[in-house]
Amino acid sequence: MRQIPVDTSGAVVMVAKSPQVKVRDRRTGEIATDTETGAKLMTVDVMFAANEEVEILSVTVPEPGISGELAMGTPVALTGLIARPWENDFNGQKRHGIAFRAVAVTSLAGAAAGSKAA
């Protein structure tokens, strides 16, 4: 599957919804895990503002990659953000979209407060 690196250097990224456990199968309640490490996967919704446009992205992150307090409105850094186009058939309907995955989501709240104090 194609993976497209996403440059976040010119973007403002803030938490829109606190991290939630990613459910693999809603019928059984099975939790999604990383295929390589076995770590539990989390979903963090972020506001991604760049080029005078704002979007809400749902980003999948392994639980160990979440650091700091990630409450709504917290500025964050997304490490290793990639976009993956996807497509599937569900009940005869073709669906498609873009899935986002990051290695880590890190709060920048402490860094912002520290730079203001200086």
Side-chain angles (χ1 to χ4, degrees):
M1 183 181 293
R2 183 172 183 176
Q3 296 183 8
I4 304 163
V6 178
D7 179 14
T8 60
S9 62
V12 173
V13 185
M14 298 173 84
V15 174
K17 184 176 180 185
S18 298
Q20 306 290 313
V21 173
K22 183 170 184 165
V23 178
R24 180 183 175 106
D25 186 332
R26 293 177 207 258
R27 291 172 293 161
T28 64
E30 179 185 359
I31 303 300
T33 57
D34 185 285
T35 55
E36 293 177 14
T37 66
K40 182 171 30 174
L41 293 177
M42 306 295 284
T43 302
V44 181
D45 290 353
V46 297
M47 179 201 73
F48 190 93
N51 302 320
E52 297 185 21
E53 292 187 22
V54 177
E55 290 189 53
I56 301 295
L57 306 179
S58 187
V59 181
T60 299
V61 184
E63 188 175 39
I66 295 177
S67 62
E69 180 65 32
L70 298 183
M72 185 186 306
T74 304
V76 292
L78 300 173
T79 304
L81 182 64
I82 58 164
R84 286 188 197 151
W86 61 268
E87 182 178 306
N88 65 24
D89 284 313
F90 184 75
N91 290 335
Q93 300 270 330
K94 271 209 182 283
R95 297 177 42 177
H96 59 89
I98 300 173
F100 293 92
R101 172 112 183 212
V103 173
V105 177
T106 308
S107 171
L108 298 177
S115 64
K116 287 179 184 174

